Amino acid sequence: MSISPFVLAQLATQAIELPSWAFGNSGTRFKVFSTPGTPRTIQEKIADAATVHQHTGLAPSVALHIPWDKVGDYDALRDFAGEHGLALGTVNSNTFQDDAYKFGSLTHTDAAVRQKAIDHHFDCIDIMHATGSQDLKIWLADGTNYPGQGDIRGRQDRLADSLAKIYDRIGENQRLVLEYKFFEPAFYHTDVPDWGTSYAQVNALGERALVCLDTGHHAPGTNIEFIVAQLLRLGKLGSFDFNSRFYADDDLIVGAADPFQLFRILYEVIRGGGFGPDSPVAFMLDQCHNVEDKIPGQIRSVLNVQEMTARALLVDRPALTRAQDAGDVLGANGILMDAFYTDVRPDLAAWRESRGLAGDPMAAYAASGYQAQIAADRAGGTQAGWGA
Ligand code: PSV
Ligand code: MN
């Protein structure tokens, strides 16, 4: 099976947003290793993200995290990104690194703390107007560690109230996406632990409030593609945070741990109308590179998404439907597996070359000298990293 022009035309529309924080240093609670050439400013992060896009043609926008990427002039930042061939994308709020939020942010019992968190989101919305960003992404660290520590029901009600105030403030062309995560940093209960809670909360807000599905935020064994199918069916899948995991919220390179799962997810995305220029679903990475170089880590990631998308687009859907309707269990499974087992890499390399890109972006980046250049240029200053 080789990739048809029809499939290539669909792939040509694919855009995957990079997270600015993927270019900063990250690590575990045991150690954050620094890497020569790590950006010190958001401008340097944008330059690195632009390098990923130059090599792959797949990553035309970069997501910001506020206050990590705070600057004085967002119009200028937007222009700077534009000069590098990038748009500024999703704005991620941050209500998890201030002492005031020790016992919650949008769910806090103290109205003053809730207002502080709401005001932070208002600031993010102002930034979005300047950057031209479409999505405000909210991920909350809110939750409790012990049974009885908090009033679970009261926290849900306060969350609904806070979200309504934020939603009222977003512009007509903007969206609010609410991310869920089943644990960490709270361990007994999390205030937005699952897609159902996120769905219930955004559904109460309105049309432009949607669910963000981070692939790393599920219990082992969860059938994530089922959630994708259901949210698309309900018209409430707003965005993906792609990454992969072996155990928990590992934030590893998407497709690295379980490429078959990524294929299954992307098949349901395509099946459910979530892929293509008219789709409301935003593809974003949410990853950290603890021990590998960050730019090639991001290049590998977007290529993985592209490769699994190509395989998912190869599924012979009419034949699959016929087999499913005929109760042909193994025939249907075989049709799906045929597409998954197709090595699309040679065809994609040739296609890239036909579009003026390197056939092997990983090799082209390694040969470009960019890594050595930034290591030499970015001497001194404070490297960006977790919390900066
Ligand atoms: C924390 O788990 C997290 O990785 C969430 O997935 C957010 O999307 C990300 O941080 C950025 O705030
Ligand atoms: Mn995420």
Side-chain angles (χ1 to χ4, degrees), residues 21 65 68 92-93 96 137 139 179 181 184 214 217 241 249 251 286:
W21 54 98
H65 211 298
W68 300 343
N92 291 254
S93 63
F96 49 88
K137 190 174 92 195
W139 170 73
E179 181 175 352
K181 179 175 180 180
E184 198 202 25
D214 183 312
H217 290 187
D241 271 8
D249 187 27
D251 281 336
D286 177 15

Side-chain angles (χ1 to χ4, degrees), residues 144-323:
T144 63
N145 274 352
Y146 297 99
Q149 180 190 327
D151 175 21
I152 291 175
R153 165 65 193 265
R155 294 174 70 95
Q156 259 335 276
D157 295 340
R158 291 190 290 274
L159 174 62
D161 192 61
S162 300
L163 287 174
K165 294 191 167 87
I166 297 167
Y167 184 73
D168 276 353
R169 187 67 84 98
I170 60 171
E172 271 181 17
N173 297 318
Q174 295 174 340
R175 314 187 306 174
L176 181 161
V177 292
L178 181 63
E179 181 175 352
Y180 59 93
K181 179 175 180 180
F182 77 121
F183 83 112
E184 198 202 25
F187 293 106
Y188 166 61
H189 106 279
T190 296
D191 288 304
V192 189
D194 50 29
W195 76 268
T197 304
S198 179
Y199 174 76
Q201 287 285 352
V202 297
N203 208 33
L205 296 175
E207 260 182 18
R208 284 170 293 115
L210 299 144
V211 176
C212 170
L213 187 159
D214 183 312
T215 49
H217 290 187
H218 304 86
T222 301
N223 183 333
I224 298 174
E225 59 270 27
F226 177 83
I227 299 171
V228 170
Q230 183 69 290
L231 284 172
L232 281 169
R233 184 180 159 267
L234 296 167
K236 280 292 182 189
L237 181 59
S239 60
F240 278 102
D241 271 8
F242 282 121
N243 51 55
S244 76
R245 67 197 284 279
F246 290 100
Y247 297 103
D249 187 27
D250 306 347
D251 281 336
L252 298 175
I253 289 175
V254 54
D258 187 349
F260 182 41
Q261 180 189 58
L262 180 59
F263 164 82
R264 298 192 314 263
I265 289 171
L266 287 165
Y267 174 70
E268 286 304 332
V269 170
I270 293 161
R271 158 69 182 85
F275 181 73
D278 300 329
S279 150
V281 181
F283 283 23
M284 210 192 98
L285 303 182
D286 177 15
Q287 292 180 192
C288 294
H289 302 290
N290 297 350
V291 294
E292 66 276 31
D293 283 341
K294 298 156 203 328
I295 296 168
Q298 290 284 286
I299 292 175
R300 177 76 274 154
S301 303
V302 295
L303 293 177
N304 283 354
V305 175
Q306 185 186 47
E307 284 168 21
M308 289 304 144
T309 305
R311 293 187 191 201
L313 285 166
L314 288 182
V315 174
D316 184 343
R317 286 177 52 195
L320 182 60
T321 303
R322 279 195 300 277

